[in-house]
Each structure stands twice: as structure tokens, then as C-alpha cells.
Amino acid sequence: MMTTLLVLLAQVDAPVKVYILAGQSNMEGKGQMKLAEYQSTSPEFKDDYKHLKPDGKWVVREDVWINFLDRRGPLTVGYGSPNCVGPELEFGMKVGDFHKEQVLLIKAAWGGRSLGRDFLPPSAKQPTDEELKEIAAKEKKPTTAEEVRARYGKSYREMLAEVRTTLADIDKRFPAYGGQGVELAGFVWFQGWNDHINGPFADAYEANLLCLIQDLRKDLNAPKLPVVLGQMGQCGFKPAAGGMKKVNDAMAAAGAKLERVKVVATAPLWDAEADKLYPTWRENKEAWDKVGSDHGYHYLGSVRFFCRAGRAFGEAMLSFK
């Protein structure tokens, strides 16, 4: 009994393991809760959810906290986009099961953001004054070059602010925090849509991604921070092509060039049942609502996809341990 108590005290005193989850809309998560509610009770799909609903209610992980912008608390469903599930749920389940210490997930994700502009890190190639003026001149309303310049790297700076503010206010945001300190344990990046549809952004993705990882490690004073990169998988079961292939190849190249970086392919996690019904979803809405809840760019809104992605990201992250 004494040994068990000492072990528990040691666990409480150990630093909180902090993971940063960043990207755009698919890191937000687009698997709608109405689909999750249906599938979790459907004989056809409920086995995929049994660990998430062990007693008929959605799991609530007091040992895994989550902070997603203005939402925070113990990990459970609904921490994707409003009324949605994202990769955070099963990622948190994976790392929570692994760590004896308290875990904190900090999500910094916003839809429609690019690496080529919004998340552009400080050491990456910046637009020239002339380029900024050209962009400003094309705006529908009067815009200065400085206003355009402020857009570059804005989401990168906001991501850093989210991490720093959450950690500075951890005792206020999570009252159960006991002053045990924090330890940055990993960074997960799931993004690419707004770059793959922009030729210059797709061409620059590898260089920008290398800078993103290196700058983040420097700015957070975590030179060996483990990184997991989620490749684009909206091609489904078809090979990636065009800008999507460029972005995926860039991630693979970054993973090969930098230490402690793992790359996860998400296309193999595509939901086959949703894929079959999507082409005729309007004509078969009742059947579609049992498997999907969004369009291809959001992985068909498949809750099972976002859960699979979260598990895959978690497994890749834990391979560093």
C-alpha cells in the first residue's frame, strides 16, 4: 500500500506532458457529432466506438486536459469544430494511455490557413516590398503594403501565443494543476489544403515546412521536440497528384532531412463506406447521413477517419518514446 501511494505521488509530481496540435480545418476536426452519436449505437459501426463509450456515455479523460482556443477542460468528444470530432480525441486517448503523468493537448488550428502565408515562419523567405505592393494593389478595398505584410506569419505568431498563454495560465485554466511544471512532449502538424491549390505555395512547401519545424523548436526552446506530420489524404484511394503530391512529397522530404520527425500517410485511413455513397449523397441523403457529414476536402466528415488519424498520429508520436 505504501509503495503504491509513493508511486502515485511521484506521478502527480512529474511534469505535465504537453502536446501541440496545429494546422487548418482538418486539425480542427470535421466529423460531426450527430454522425458519431448514430454510429456509436449502430450495430454496424458501434464496435469502433466501444472504447469511447464504455458505459453508454462518452468517455471523459480527467488525466488528459485539452485547450482549444476558448474551449478547455478534460478530454472528451466535441473538441473539433463546433459540434464535431477531430484528431485530438484518439490522439489524446493514445498518449493518455501511455503516460503516467498528466497530459495537456494545446490545439492551435484555424480553417483556411496556408503555410505559404498565414503560418509562414520567421526564417522562411518573406515577400519583397514590391510583391507586397502588388498584392495590396489588387485588393478590393484600399490596403497598404504593411497591412498585407501583417498577414504573413500571423497564424504562426498566434500559435506561439496560444502555447505560451495556455502554459502561463495553466493553473487558472486547469484548477487541478498542482504546480508540477510542464514538459513539451511533441508537435503534430495536419495541414496543406490552402497550399496545394496555390502553385507557388506548393512549390515552397518543403522549404517553409523545414523553417516551421526549426523555428518552432527554437522559439519554444525545445531543440529536440518530436514532430509528427500528417500528409494530405483527400485523394482517398487514388494516388495523390498535382499540388497535393507536391505537399506530401515535401513532408516526406522534411521528415528525411530533420531528426525526430515522423510522417503519417492519411490517405489509407479514408472511409470506404463514406467513399461509396458520396457521389450520390444528395439522392441518398438518409443513407449518407449514416456514414458521412461533409465533403472530400474534410475527409467526407467521417468521424471514423478523424479517429483513425488521431490514433495514427498518436502511435507515430509514441514511437519516439
Side-chain angles (χ1 to χ4, degrees), residues 185-205:
F187 173 72
V188 183
W189 177 250
F190 192 29
Q191 187 275 343
W193 186 267
N194 277 57
D195 294 86
H196 103 281
I197 59 175
N198 181 311
F201 286 3
D203 291 339
Y205 201 91

Side-chain angles (χ1 to χ4, degrees), residues 17-83:
K17 300 289 186 178
V18 179
Y19 291 94
I20 304 163
L21 311 180
Q24 56 181 122
S25 59
N26 287 308
M27 180 56 92
E28 284 184 301
K30 296 294 182 177
Q32 293 188 22
M33 278 302 302
K34 64 180 182 181
L35 177 59
E37 294 288 1
Y38 168 76
Q39 290 189 332
S40 67
T41 58
S42 166
E44 184 178 1
F45 301 110
K46 66 179 183 180
D47 281 352
D48 291 333
Y49 297 86
K50 59 186 179 182
H51 64 298
L52 298 173
K53 259 190 170 180
D55 56 0
K57 297 180 180 179
W58 291 109
V59 66
V60 177
R61 295 284 301 241
E62 297 288 349
D63 61 331
V64 181
W65 298 328
I66 181 165
N67 193 105
F68 182 20
L69 306 181
D70 60 348
R71 289 181 278 160
R72 58 191 63 97
L75 181 66
T76 186
V77 293
Y79 275 102
S81 292
N83 299 310

Side-chain angles (χ1 to χ4, degrees), residues 80-236:
S81 292
N83 299 310
C84 289
V85 171
E88 75 291 327
L89 179 60
E90 287 281 27
F91 180 85
M93 294 290 288
K94 273 288 179 184
V95 297
D97 288 346
F98 176 82
H99 289 296
K100 295 178 181 179
E101 302 90 343
Q102 182 71 42
V103 172
L104 169 60
L105 310 182
I106 302 176
K107 277 184 69 172
W110 301 271
R113 302 298 200 271
S114 66
L115 176 58
R117 184 186 69 183
D118 307 289
F119 276 102
L120 191 67
S123 70
K125 182 181 178 182
Q126 305 293 315
T128 65
D129 290 343
E130 191 60 35
E131 288 171 332
L132 292 170
K133 291 177 183 177
E134 290 178 5
I135 295 171
K138 295 177 182 178
E139 296 285 313
K140 293 181 179 179
K141 61 181 182 179
T143 305
T144 67
E146 285 307 308
E147 287 173 329
V148 175
R149 187 190 303 278
R151 300 172 190 168
Y152 284 82
K154 184 174 185 289
S155 296
Y156 179 86
R157 296 188 293 272
E158 289 174 337
M159 173 178 64
L160 280 180
E162 279 296 314
V163 174
R164 290 168 173 164
T165 301
T166 300
L167 297 183
D169 295 342
I170 188 171
D171 55 338
K172 298 174 184 175
R173 298 187 177 197
F174 303 97
Y177 175 70
Q180 63 267 47
V182 298
E183 177 187 332
L184 290 174
F187 173 72
V188 183
W189 177 250
F190 192 29
Q191 187 275 343
W193 186 267
N194 277 57
D195 294 86
H196 103 281
I197 59 175
N198 181 311
F201 286 3
D203 291 339
Y205 201 91
E206 180 185 338
N208 289 339
L209 184 59
L210 289 169
C211 291
L212 177 79
I213 296 169
Q214 292 168 326
D215 286 358
L216 188 69
R217 285 171 167 171
K218 178 182 177 182
D219 288 337
L220 294 178
N221 194 27
K224 295 184 178 180
L225 184 70
V227 174
V228 170
L229 306 174
Q231 289 178 315
M232 298 184 70
Q234 293 95 326
C235 51

